[in-house]
Amino acid sequence: MPSRRELANAIRALSMDAVQKAKSGHPGAPMGMADIAEVLWNDFLQHNPSNPHWANRDRFILSNGHASMLLYSLLHLSGYDLSMEDIKQFRQLHSKTAGHPEYGYAPGIETTTGPLGMGISNAVGMALAEKILAAQFNRDGHEIVDHYTYVFLGDGCLMEGISHESCSLAGTWGLGKLIAFYDDNSISIDGNVKGWFTDNTPKRFESYGWHVIRNVDGHNSEEIRQATIEARSVNDKPSLICCKTIIGYGAPQAGSHDCHGSPLGEAGITAARAKLGWGYPPFEIPNEIYSGWNAVKKGAAAETAWEQKFAAYKAAYPELAVEFERRLQKKLPQGWKAKVAAAIQDADIKAEKIATRKASQNAIEAYASILPELLGGSADLTGSNLTNWSSSKDITKSFLEGNYIHYGVREFGMSAIINGITLHGGFIPYGGTFFMFSDYARNAVRMAALMGVQSIFVYTHDSIGLGEDGPTHQAVEQAATMRYIPRMSVWRPCDTVESLVAWKAAIERTHGPTSLVFSRQGVPHQKRTAEQIENISRGGYVLHDTADNKIDLIIISTGTEIDLAIKAAEILTDKNVKVRVVSMPSTDVFDAQDEAYRKSVLPPEVKARVAVEAAVTDYWRKYVGLEGTVLGIDTFGESGPAEDVYRHFGLTVENLVKVAENLIF
């Protein structure tokens, strides 16, 4: 049987060989953390390489994602469907082994970790999801949800501000099954971190409410094992295991930033092989090493044992078991379509003039009662975002049967935690903040889109309609920039009915995130036919049309500006201008429609077009063409009552009529 060090050296060898072949990558951290990884994966990690999606697996997150060859080596060695050829294709086009771990590229990768601090924040979400799901479904003697979330992280993760946000919450929530291994090697890209990172990390985490294990030798397997046992024994606090390591362990450049992000070079690899006693050629792993790592049989046995446990649970609690399976399979409950139809019909009959943030709350009220997996929250703006509902129950350390999370003033951390909850499974999470503060959270929002996961981001106070709070809080460029994110679906509804459809779309969209953008100010209800209501789900549709289908002008708008478009159309119609108004609450959904439908809404022969939105104008030019006009704002906002601010920027019915007349006469 190979020694622990020999097993760990397999990681070191694969990492330095793959980086060298690619002529690009980070060999230092994989070589430094190899001993920690060997102990965790061989002694503690509950996983099944033959079924990477087993529900009760432990989650392993490599937050210091530049160390990706560590994870790829672990997956390959332990028996996942990741071949040696895949290892050799490290950092190559269309390879499973990308420069940083990419969710969906290779089995066993739980989340994409490139931006530092994102992985630990996702892990907080995963650990929270495990804890809530366990509280909702476990019964005495039937613990079907019972797994850990393990994280590797380094100095960079701890320097990034997002780690402060998420780790603070992890302590507040008492996430006892979250265990993080801190790779304390004192090195970042610029060199020794003592010049720019002098935090007392153990005290910092103790102040968060974590259990901290100090001064573990990251190259002493027994110390690592004992520290892990201790961490697993603490049930009411997350644990940070501080492991002192040598970056690039075994290489001539060990202990230096020279091996952080650069290949070791042929001479360096030769010397490292000699130092480590690894006498095998590049990319060659002896059979006894593979045998020492292979987790296929052990993983299959663990899953089989869990399946037996679940069968007993199903016999004892059949309804709970069916619900558990439904939620993990992302299937909507029976009665969902009827619930949506009834809510839309009711809103259409009531025809209320309310802010769309209130319409959003009404949608949550309508849908949440049938969706126990809907897990809401806000970054300290619940009363402004209106993200709660009548049956909201706050989740706390001591009460986990709830459905609402208070994230505090942590937009970035909230968004990354939501991604982690989504990735874990069993929930449809959403979180709210002001639209302006989507910029604080942008990287986590982008990561949701990059991974294609169903996170729902609720943004209120969507424009200069915010009024007196002024330009610091008035979103101007945010709608356009959000729409430019690939795979992000953005909805900016104009009234109660469109808000219900927007929420329906977000809940049904399992292959990507949705941003729901709502107003602070009240907006009138728009009258629609049944066909028009049906067409809202297509992202853009004809809201107001001419009597004879002859069109002189098309006005395209969204959100709160739809009312301006409708009123302007009425005035222009009285002046014998044949006007069509197109409501486009979701440009990406409209763009995804077939060409015939898009042309039926925006006939190409009608060149006179005006788009109006209280935001930057360039985004809308693809819909109006060279001959059209966009009425919007290409500067920052102003402070004052909303009506005065709209008037200041020319976003009035009178000015829209004038712009239209100048275009067609």
Side-chain angles (χ1 to χ4, degrees):
M1 178 69 183
S3 68
R4 285 189 179 275
R5 179 55 53 81
E6 287 173 318
L7 294 174
N9 284 345
I11 296 173
R12 295 184 171 103
L14 287 176
S15 298
M16 64 185 180
D17 288 343
V19 171
Q20 185 65 31
K21 185 176 185 297
K23 297 181 174 59
S24 174
H26 301 73
M31 297 177 75
M33 297 195 79
D35 296 305
I36 306 170
E38 188 278 323
V39 172
L40 177 63
W41 278 60
N42 282 325
D43 289 16
F44 297 100
L45 194 71
Q46 177 179 265
H47 65 121
N48 183 4
S50 298
N51 182 14
H53 302 294
W54 170 34
N56 201 46
R57 69 191 182 279
D58 290 338
R59 272 59 168 180
F60 174 76
I61 311 302
L62 186 70
S63 191
N64 45 346
H66 54 275
S68 59
M69 268 310 305
L70 173 67
L71 179 54
Y72 300 144
S73 298
L74 289 165
L75 295 173
H76 170 74
L77 291 166
S78 61
Y80 284 80
D81 183 17
L82 196 69
S83 68
M84 184 62 81
E85 187 58 33
D86 292 324
I87 298 293
K88 291 179 180 179
Q89 291 302 308
F90 176 60
R91 289 195 163 213
Q92 304 309 299
L93 186 64
H94 304 312
S95 170
K96 293 181 181 179
T97 50
H100 291 78
E102 298 284 355
Y103 177 74
Y105 279 44
I109 297 175
E110 300 286 359
T111 182
T112 296
T113 52
L116 293 173
M118 194 67 67
I120 177 61
S121 301
N122 293 162
V124 171
M126 293 178 189
L128 178 64
E130 189 274 343
K131 192 169 185 178
I132 299 172
L133 205 64
Q136 292 180 354
F137 285 97
N138 287 354
R139 295 296 183 267
D140 289 343
H142 296 276
E143 286 74 32
I144 60 167
V145 182
D146 181 18
H147 53 264
Y148 285 84
T149 302
Y150 296 104
V151 190
F152 282 6
L153 73 163
D155 292 307
C157 295
L158 296 178
M159 283 187 263
E160 287 286 0
I162 188 173
S163 70
H164 295 254
E165 297 183 26
S166 57
C167 292
S168 170
L169 283 169
T172 298
W173 293 328
L175 301 180
K177 289 186 177 177
L178 173 63
I179 299 176
F181 294 81
Y182 168 32
D183 181 28
D184 184 10
N185 61 31
S186 301
I187 297 295
S188 65
I189 291 176
D190 280 358
N192 194 297
V193 299
K194 64 183 180 182
W196 47 87
F197 185 50
T198 58
D199 298 15
N200 188 322
T201 297
K203 286 186 177 180
R204 167 184 157 190
F205 274 77
E206 284 174 345
S207 75
Y208 291 154
W210 285 55
H211 173 68
V212 178
I213 304 172
R214 292 170 163 81
N215 302 319
V216 175
D217 182 347
H219 303 297
N220 184 312
S221 298
E222 185 57 25
E223 284 193 29
I224 298 164
R225 192 177 75 86
Q226 290 300 328
T228 308
I229 291 171
E230 179 184 333
R232 285 166 58 96
S233 72
V234 177
N235 299 318
D236 60 345
K237 295 180 179 181
S239 292
L240 180 72
I241 303 175
C242 300
C243 300
K244 193 64 182 177
T245 65
I246 299 171
I247 191 170
Y249 183 91
Q253 304 95 318
S256 165
H257 70 282
D258 291 336
C259 63
H260 181 284
S262 301
L264 300 182
E266 296 294 348
I269 289 177
T270 299
R273 274 185 156 77
K275 177 79 171 178
L276 297 170
W278 187 263
Y280 310 103
F283 302 107
E284 182 177 310
I285 304 295
N287 289 334
E288 61 268 23
I289 298 292
Y290 275 125
S291 297
W293 273 106
N294 195 297
V296 172
K297 288 184 180 179
K298 184 169 66 174
E303 183 172 1
T304 297
W306 180 83
E307 287 174 345
Q308 293 170 350
K309 182 181 290 188
F310 185 74
Y313 176 83
K314 196 168 187 176
Y317 304 98
E319 292 182 1
L320 277 176
V322 169
E323 178 68 3
F324 181 76
E325 291 177 318
R326 178 190 73 78
R327 285 172 57 170
L328 289 184
Q329 293 167 6
K330 298 183 179 180
K331 292 182 178 179
L332 292 171
Q334 289 184 352
W336 165 249
K337 290 184 178 180
K339 173 70 75 172
V340 170
I344 290 174
Q345 182 181 42
D346 183 61
D348 193 46
I349 292 171
K350 286 183 178 178
E352 293 178 293
K353 179 180 180 179
I354 56 176
T356 54
R357 62 171 172 161
K358 179 59 180 175
S360 167
Q361 187 177 48
N362 291 348
I364 297 169
E365 186 76 38
Y367 297 156
S369 61
I370 199 174
L371 293 172
E373 62 264 48
L374 204 59
L375 184 59
S378 172
D380 202 50
L381 289 168
T382 297
S384 296
N385 298 148
L386 303 183
T387 37
N388 60 349
W389 60 295
S390 61
S391 294
S392 287
K393 296 178 181 178
D394 296 344
I395 289 171
T396 66
K397 181 178 181 179
S398 58
F399 182 75
L400 297 163
E401 290 79 13
N403 54 18
Y404 195 82
I405 302 169
H406 291 279
Y407 289 96
V409 187
R410 299 181 179 93
E411 301 88 352
F412 195 7
M414 174 185 72
S415 301
I417 289 169
I418 285 172
N419 290 345
I421 295 171
T422 305
L423 287 160
H424 178 277
F427 297 97
I428 302 175
Y430 68 89
T433 186
F434 287 171
F435 198 21
M436 185 65 245
F437 302 148
S438 65
D439 281 355
Y440 276 179
R442 184 59 56 97
N443 197 269
V445 172
R446 180 180 184 269
M447 296 304 286
L450 183 68
M451 292 187 285
V453 297
Q454 188 187 14
S455 298
I456 300 176
F457 305 107
V458 178
Y459 299 117
T460 68
H461 298 61
D462 66 344
S463 71
I464 59 171
L466 181 56
E468 293 86 350
D469 277 348
T472 60
H473 282 52
Q474 292 172 3
V476 174
E477 75 274 24
Q478 281 65 35
T481 59
M482 198 68 76
R483 290 170 181 141
Y484 278 127
I485 299 176
R487 294 186 192 159
M488 174 60 70
S489 190
V490 181
W491 286 81
R492 187 172 180 248
C494 75
D495 66 358
T496 54
V497 173
E498 284 193 359
S499 297
L500 282 160
V501 174
W503 264 105
K504 171 183 178 289
I507 289 166
E508 293 180 350
R509 186 174 192 253
T510 60
H511 61 284
T514 302
S515 292
L516 301 174
V517 184
F518 300 112
S519 72
R520 177 198 190 190
Q521 70 270 40
V523 291
H525 172 78
Q526 299 297 333
K527 295 181 180 179
R528 300 176 182 85
T529 64
E531 182 181 5
Q532 286 173 318
I533 291 175
E534 183 70 23
N535 284 337
I536 295 171
S537 64
R538 306 188 78 165
Y541 64 101
V542 178
L543 178 61
H544 169 90
D545 212 2
T546 62
D548 55 7
N549 290 324
K550 294 180 180 179
I551 307 169
D552 297 323
L553 171 73
I554 299 175
I555 302 176
I556 310 165
S557 192
T558 182
T560 50
E561 289 71 64
I562 279 291
D563 188 46
L564 297 179
I566 292 294
K567 290 177 178 176
E570 292 171 351
I571 294 172
L572 289 165
T573 299
D574 289 341
K575 296 184 177 185
N576 296 318
V577 179
K578 298 181 183 297
V579 183
R580 168 178 285 188
V581 175
V582 171
S583 177
M584 199 175 289
S586 179
T587 59
D588 60 278
V589 173
F590 178 75
D591 290 346
Q593 302 303 306
D594 61 82
E595 183 180 16
Y597 178 76
R598 286 184 280 113
K599 285 184 175 180
S600 73
V601 175
L602 298 175
E605 63 272 15
V606 181
K607 305 298 183 184
R609 302 182 184 187
V610 178
V612 55
E613 185 175 50
V616 293
T617 61
D618 276 356
Y619 183 86
W620 290 100
R621 300 195 188 281
K622 66 177 180 177
Y623 298 107
V624 302
L626 296 175
E627 299 176 48
T629 300
V630 182
L631 179 59
I633 306 169
D634 286 316
T635 183
F636 293 112
E638 294 288 345
S639 183
E643 289 184 5
D644 293 345
V645 177
Y646 265 82
R647 190 177 303 109
H648 170 77
F649 286 108
L651 287 161
T652 62
V653 174
E654 295 77 16
N655 194 43
L656 179 53
V657 169
K658 181 180 177 181
V659 168
E661 289 177 331
N662 289 338
L663 185 63
I664 61 178
F665 294 130

